[in-house]
Amino acid sequence: MATVGLSTALFERGAACGGCYEVKCVEDLKYCLPGTSIVVTATNFCAPNFGLPADAGGVCNPPNHHFLLPIQAFEKIALWKAGVMPIQYRRVKCLREGGVRFSVNGRSFFLTVLISNVGGAGDVRAVKVKGTESGWLSMGRNWGQIWHINTDFRGQPLSFELTSSDAKTSTNFNVVPKDWDFGKTYTGKQFML
């Protein structure tokens, strides 16, 4: 419920995924629920519709700063029948329960890792991985918070170093055990707030 799709101007080609925003409805006394706000996590892209002008239906078109909220989240700040509403938003720290999650996929010749449940800034800007047979290697962003590297790490425990958009770094040593398998998720320590 507390996820949001961001328009092109905010999405940063997926780099903003994981970031948290406090959103509140403003300027419309008929539809806004006064004194309410919701904290949402950026998880999706609100694709532009270049067939419509940015001010007449193309709400996710550049340069608009648009948040595409699920119905349940929207109804926390405004009446659903209102449709597109003026909002105020600000970046806030992401408060998470449990540790950072590393969902491992790929094949023998490459590794992809979805990194989720990141506290603090929420959005990871750089990832390094280390096996027992390698030094620290930089991973590339595939999309959103999915990171990849063309290396065979099978049979090695994996450590990850994450750097968030606020330049804080968290290292999870051997968070993925030696007997890991594709399709599994492993939980590490959380960023210190």
Side-chain angles (χ1 to χ4, degrees), residues 25-169:
C25 179
V26 295
E27 300 176 14
D28 193 319
L29 299 177
K30 184 175 179 184
Y31 295 111
C32 290
L33 300 177
T36 62
S37 67
I38 186 168
V39 174
V40 292
T41 301
T43 58
N44 296 299
F45 179 50
C46 182
N49 179 351
F50 294 115
L52 297 172
D55 62 350
V59 294
C60 292
N61 293 0
N64 292 347
H65 287 210
H66 185 75
F67 288 74
L68 183 59
L69 295 166
I71 294 171
Q72 299 91 336
F74 186 93
E75 288 180 327
K76 299 280 185 191
I77 61 171
L79 300 177
W80 177 246
K81 65 182 177 180
V84 177
M85 297 295 300
I87 63 164
Q88 284 182 342
Y89 69 92
R90 66 184 179 115
R91 280 292 302 263
V92 295
K93 288 196 179 293
C94 299
L95 303 176
R96 302 287 186 232
E97 291 184 20
V100 174
R101 291 193 286 268
F102 300 86
S103 300
V104 179
N105 280 294
R107 296 281 183 267
S108 62
F109 55 92
F110 74 95
L111 178 76
T112 64
V113 180
L114 168 62
I115 299 170
S116 60
N117 201 50
V118 178
D123 51 343
V124 176
R125 297 299 171 108
V127 176
K128 291 181 181 178
V129 60
K130 181 183 182 308
T132 52
E133 298 173 19
S134 74
W136 287 103
L137 302 172
S138 294
M139 298 183 77
R141 183 187 305 278
N142 183 296
W143 179 254
Q145 291 303 330
I146 299 174
W147 297 80
H148 66 92
I149 190 166
N150 293 332
T151 304
D152 184 358
F153 285 109
R154 290 176 299 164
Q156 301 176 56
L158 301 178
S159 301
F160 292 92
E161 180 185 275
L162 310 179
T163 303
S164 58
S165 63
D166 60 0
K168 291 188 177 176
T169 299

Side-chain angles (χ1 to χ4, degrees), residues 169-188:
T169 299
S170 176
T171 304
N172 282 267
F173 291 102
N174 301 321
V175 64
V176 176
K178 180 179 180 177
D179 61 346
W180 64 270
D181 199 7
F182 295 117
K184 301 261 173 102
T185 300
Y186 304 90
T187 303

